[in-house]
Amino acid sequence: MVHMTQASATPKATRRQHDREIVALAVPAFGALVAEPLFVLADSAIVGHLGTAQLAGLGIASALLTTAVSVFVFLAYATTAAVARRVGAGDLPAAIRQGMDGIWLALLLGAAVIAVVLPAAPSIVELFGASDTAAPYATTYLRISALGIPAMLVVLASTGVLRGLQDTRTPLYVAIAGFVANGALNAVLVYGADLGIAGSAWGTVIAQCGMAAAYLVVVVRGARKHGASLRPDATGIRASAQAGVPLLVRTLSLRAILMIATAVAARLGDADIAAHQIILSLWSLLAFALDAIAIAGQAIIGRYLGAEDTEGARQACRRMVEWGIAVGVALGVLVVLSRPLFLPLFTGDSTVRDAALPALVIVALSQPICGVVFVLDGVLMGAGDGPYLAWAMVITLAVFAPIALLVPALDGGLTALWAAMTLMMVIRMLTLWLRTRSGRWLVTGATR
C-alpha cells in the first residue's frame, strides 16, 4: 500500500489517515482486552455452583494469578515498541527476531514463577488470609493454574510481537477462541468429569496453552517466511529484559497505588469498601477502552520512529490525544447517565449506593484526564521511553501515598479518596505531558 508522505498530505487527509490507523488497531485491541477478564468471570460462574468455599478459594487464587501475570505485562509493552521500530525501519526479519527474544524471555520467567509457586502455594494462600475451609481449594487451584503461567507470558510476548507488526486482529481472534474453549473445558471437567475446582484449573491451563500454541504458529510462520532465527539468543534476551525492567517498576508502582487506595477504603468502613470495589471494577472497565487507544499508540509511534519520521510521530501523538479526550468525555457522560442503572446490579444496600454515587461523579469528571494519560503512556512506551515512565510513576506514588493515607484521618470519606485518585491521574498527566512537549522521546532508528 502506498501512503502519502506527511509533507505532501493535507492536514485533513493526515488526520483521516491517523484515524483509520487508530481505529484499525484500537477496536480489535479493545475486544482482546475485554476477553481477558472474561476468563475469570467464566471460572467464577462455573465454580460458584460448587459451593461458597470453592468460590472463595477461586477468588484468592485467581487474584494471586492475575497479579503475577499483570506484573509481567511489560513483555507485551516492551516487545510492541521494539518490534514496531524495526517494522518502521523496514527490517521485518529483525522485527520477528526481536519478538522471538521476548518470547524466550517469557518462557524463562514462566519457569521461574512455577519453581516458586508450586512449593510455596500453601504458604502464599495462608499469607493472604484464606479461611480454613477455602484454603485447600485455593491451594489446589493455584498449584494447577501456575502451570499455565508460562503459556500466559508467551501470550503476552506474542501479543506484543503482533501489535508491533501492526496486527491487533489476530490477538482478538485468539482471545475469543481461548474464552470459548475455557468455558467449554471448565464445564466438561468440573461437572462432566466431576473434578471440581481442579477441573476448572485444568480447563484454564489447557485453554491458555492452546492460545500460546496458536500465537507460536503465527510467529514461527512469520519467522520462516522472512528467514528469522528461532533459536534463543542470550544477547537479545538480555536486551529484552533490560528494556522491561523500567516498565516493571512502572507497573509495580501503579499496583502499589491501587493497593493503597483499597487499603484506605477498607479503613473507611464496610459500606465504603464495598462501594470502592464497585467503582474500581467500573474504573478498570473504562480503562480497557482507553488502553486500546494506548496500544494503538505503542504500535504507531514505534513504527514512525523506526522510519525516522519525527513529524509523523508528533502528528500521530497529537491526534491520539484528541481521541483520548473525546473517548474520555463520552465515557464520563455514560457513567453519569448510567449510575441509577449500574449500581443496583451490584448492590441492594442503600448505604453502599449513597457512598458510591458522589464518588462516581468524580470518576466521570476524571475520564478526559484518564484519556490523555493512557494515550501519552502508550506514546512513550512506543518510543521506548521506559526509564522516564518508571521515574514518573515512582514520583506519582510518592505524592499519592501520603495524600491518600490522610483521607481517613481527615474523615474525608470515599469521595475524598477518589478525588485523591483523580489528583494522582492529574500528576501522571503533567509528567507525561512535560515529557512529550520536550521532544526528548523522539529518538529515531531501528533501536533506541
Side-chain angles (χ1 to χ4, degrees), residues 161-200:
V161 176
L162 295 180
R163 287 173 181 170
L165 294 171
Q166 317 297 296
D167 175 10
T168 55
R169 288 183 179 274
T170 300
L172 172 61
Y173 300 148
V174 174
I176 292 172
F179 169 67
V180 172
N182 179 63
L185 286 165
N186 268 258
V188 169
L189 294 175
V190 171
Y191 299 119
D194 198 27
L195 294 178
I197 195 169
S200 176

Side-chain angles (χ1 to χ4, degrees), residues 43-298:
D43 288 2
S44 299
I46 292 170
V47 172
H49 291 287
L50 295 175
T52 302
Q54 288 91 331
L55 185 59
L58 172 66
I60 294 165
S62 63
L64 289 166
L65 290 162
T66 301
T67 300
V69 173
S70 66
V71 162
F72 296 111
V73 74
F74 68 83
L75 288 166
Y77 294 159
T79 305
T80 298
V83 171
R85 274 184 176 270
R86 286 160 176 79
V87 169
D91 192 347
L92 282 176
I96 296 173
R97 172 66 262 176
Q98 179 70 39
M100 285 305 306
D101 292 335
I103 290 171
W104 281 111
L105 176 62
L107 286 169
L108 291 173
L109 291 172
V113 172
I114 286 179
V116 171
V117 172
L118 285 184
S123 300
I124 296 171
V125 168
E126 183 182 352
L127 183 65
F128 274 73
S131 67
D132 292 339
T133 53
Y137 296 112
T139 301
T140 297
Y141 192 93
L142 182 59
R143 275 186 165 151
I144 296 172
S145 291
L147 300 175
I149 287 179
M152 283 309 296
L153 299 190
V154 167
V155 166
L156 285 176
S158 301
T159 301
V161 176
L162 295 180
R163 287 173 181 170
L165 294 171
Q166 317 297 296
D167 175 10
T168 55
R169 288 183 179 274
T170 300
L172 172 61
Y173 300 148
V174 174
I176 292 172
F179 169 67
V180 172
N182 179 63
L185 286 165
N186 268 258
V188 169
L189 294 175
V190 171
Y191 299 119
D194 198 27
L195 294 178
I197 195 169
S200 176
W202 280 117
T204 300
V205 168
I206 294 169
Q208 289 167 343
C209 290
M211 291 172 68
Y215 275 118
L216 289 175
V217 167
V218 174
V219 174
V220 168
R221 186 183 299 153
R224 286 176 175 167
K225 179 181 177 181
H226 296 285
S229 173
L230 297 173
R231 294 180 180 178
D233 175 65
T235 303
I237 294 171
R238 193 180 307 114
S240 294
Q242 288 171 346
V245 168
L247 295 180
L248 175 61
V249 172
R250 169 201 167 275
T251 300
L252 290 174
S253 299
L254 180 57
R255 298 292 301 185
I257 286 171
L258 297 177
M259 288 175 65
I260 289 170
T262 299
V264 169
R267 293 172 64 185
L268 298 176
D270 289 347
D272 285 310
I273 185 61
H276 175 75
Q277 287 304 113
I278 294 170
I279 295 169
L280 192 60
S281 298
L282 174 63
W283 194 73
S284 299
L285 179 62
L286 298 174
F288 285 133
L290 299 172
D291 203 25
I293 305 173
I295 287 168
Q298 292 171 31

Side-chain angles (χ1 to χ4, degrees), residues 390-444:
W391 281 110
M393 191 61 79
V394 169
I395 291 169
T396 303
L397 170 61
V399 175
F400 170 78
I403 293 173
L405 293 173
L406 279 174
V407 169
L410 299 176
D411 198 24
L414 191 65
T415 303
L417 175 59
W418 276 94
M421 288 286 284
T422 300
L423 175 62
M424 178 270 293
M425 294 302 289
V426 170
I427 295 167
R428 288 186 68 188
M429 184 177 69
L430 289 174
T431 57
L432 297 173
W433 176 76
L434 288 171
R435 185 63 168 183
T436 51
R437 185 186 172 99
S438 73
R440 292 177 185 173
W441 58 281
L442 291 164
V443 179
T444 59

